[in-house]
Amino acid sequence: MAKGYSKKYEVDYEKTFAYVARLTTVRCFLVVVVIRQWSFLQLYVKNEFLHDTLSEEVYMTSSPGIVILLLYVDMIITRNDASGISDLQTYLNQQFDMKILGPIRYILRLEVSDFPDSFYLFQAKYVFDLISRAGLTYCQVASTPLAYNVRVTPHDGFLLDDSTLFRQFVGSLIYLAITRLDIAHAVHIVSQFMVFPRTSHYSVVLHILRYVKGTLLHGLHFSSHSSLALSSYSDANWAGGPYRSSFSHFFAQQKANFGFSIKC
């Protein structure tokens, strides 16, 4: 931890923080790159400091505004001329031990295929690993993210003895929804049951996994002919959702049974 002496006990003494790009930012970045037809380059900084055995104490300090790199740092450099990228690459090579990865192919578990006038963003390897972990490699696929006319409530089925796997799969599906907007609604539904998941909720998660197994290569296509105009959508009828009253009743029961309440 750089300048760890500035941390205060019982305030932020045990906390660490690392800057990581939001994946929505990565998506927006790729859209701008392909529409502007900019050159780009992926590389990362190799640093041996954290992987070496030290026989002495190490202290460090820096002036305000100076950033010290201590971790592996993935970089994507883009500019409207290739010569500017080349100059920056040369400078970074002189300062750090760099590895040049070339065009973007794989970053933050996102796979990128680039074409002359477009990018295709997908997570096939991530899906394959997720399906394997769920033990669904040889199962039948589902044709839709949710079963037809499915109605999921907080009361269906029995409480899971161990909810760890359920929460892991839902978290993984939330990450997958970065490039799979077709599962966003289904994932939103199961994510509402993270506190007290039941067998019926777990069945819905398995159904979503069977669907993504059959749509392994689905993803996002960014074309250079797209517009940079920003559009947004919202659910104007959220208050009339079919689960609102059920959730209120359910949480009231939990307060009576376990002595705590949950705000939603």
Side-chain angles (χ1 to χ4, degrees):
M1 185 64 178
K3 302 183 71 172
Y5 56 80
S6 64
K7 302 176 78 65
K8 297 180 180 179
Y9 187 67
E10 294 186 347
V11 177
D12 58 354
Y13 188 80
E14 297 179 353
K15 294 182 179 180
T16 59
F17 181 78
Y19 288 101
V20 178
R22 290 176 60 90
L23 290 172
T24 50
T25 303
V26 175
R27 288 191 313 191
C28 293
F29 173 84
L30 294 176
V31 170
V32 173
V33 169
V34 69
I35 291 178
R36 299 298 190 191
Q37 292 287 280
W38 289 345
S39 300
F40 63 92
L41 180 69
Q42 182 182 6
L43 45 84
Y44 72 84
V45 180
K46 295 188 294 183
N47 193 297
E48 311 300 336
F49 179 80
L50 296 181
H51 304 277
D52 197 8
T53 301
L54 300 177
S55 58
E56 66 279 340
E57 292 184 352
V58 176
Y59 300 89
M60 61 186 300
T61 185
S62 65
S63 301
I66 302 298
V67 178
I68 301 176
L69 302 178
L70 294 177
L71 301 174
Y72 282 92
V73 180
D74 283 296
M75 294 183 179
I76 302 176
I77 302 173
T78 184
R79 189 170 173 171
N80 58 359
D81 67 286
S83 61
I85 295 178
S86 179
D87 292 342
L88 180 57
Q89 175 187 334
T90 301
Y91 173 77
L92 291 174
N93 281 330
Q94 295 172 350
Q95 306 298 319
F96 307 103
D97 184 9
M98 308 292 299
K99 182 174 181 180
I100 309 302
L101 302 179
I104 305 172
R105 290 291 178 264
Y106 191 79
I107 183 170
L108 301 175
R109 297 187 177 182
L110 306 179
E111 299 171 65
V112 182
S113 293
D114 63 294
F115 303 95
D117 61 348
S118 63
F119 278 160
Y120 188 67
L121 193 63
F122 60 107
Q123 294 169 274
K125 183 181 184 303
Y126 185 77
V127 172
F128 182 82
D129 294 341
L130 181 58
I131 294 300
S132 299
R133 184 152 55 95
L136 300 176
T137 304
Y138 302 103
C139 74
Q140 292 184 340
V141 301
S143 58
T144 58
L146 289 174
Y148 175 73
N149 206 28
V150 65
R151 292 290 184 271
V152 186
T153 73
H155 313 289
D156 296 332
F158 303 96
L159 288 172
L160 296 175
D161 294 331
D162 185 357
S163 59
T164 301
L165 201 58
F166 173 87
R167 292 168 179 162
Q168 289 177 346
F169 286 151
V170 172
S172 298
L173 288 171
I174 291 174
Y175 193 87
L176 178 61
I178 295 165
T179 61
R180 296 294 304 272
L181 304 184
D182 52 328
I183 68 171
H185 174 67
V187 174
H188 169 71
I189 289 178
V190 294
S191 66
Q192 298 177 75
F193 305 100
M194 297 287 272
V195 180
F196 299 104
R198 292 176 172 263
T199 52
S200 59
H201 310 146
Y202 190 70
S203 297
V204 177
V205 169
L206 294 179
H207 185 95
I208 299 173
L209 290 172
R210 288 169 48 219
Y211 169 75
V212 298
K213 177 181 181 291
T215 53
L216 192 68
L217 295 176
H218 283 200
L220 297 176
H221 180 254
F222 301 140
S223 171
S224 61
H225 304 294
S226 301
S227 170
L228 283 176
L230 182 63
S231 300
S232 62
Y233 303 88
S234 64
D235 182 0
N237 193 35
W238 179 83
Y243 312 122
R244 185 172 176 82
S245 59
S246 297
F247 274 115
S248 300
H249 176 69
F250 171 72
F251 288 133
Q253 284 187 328
Q254 302 310 315
K255 180 179 180 180
N257 294 336
F258 300 100
F260 65 89
S261 61
I262 301 174
K263 293 182 180 181
C264 60

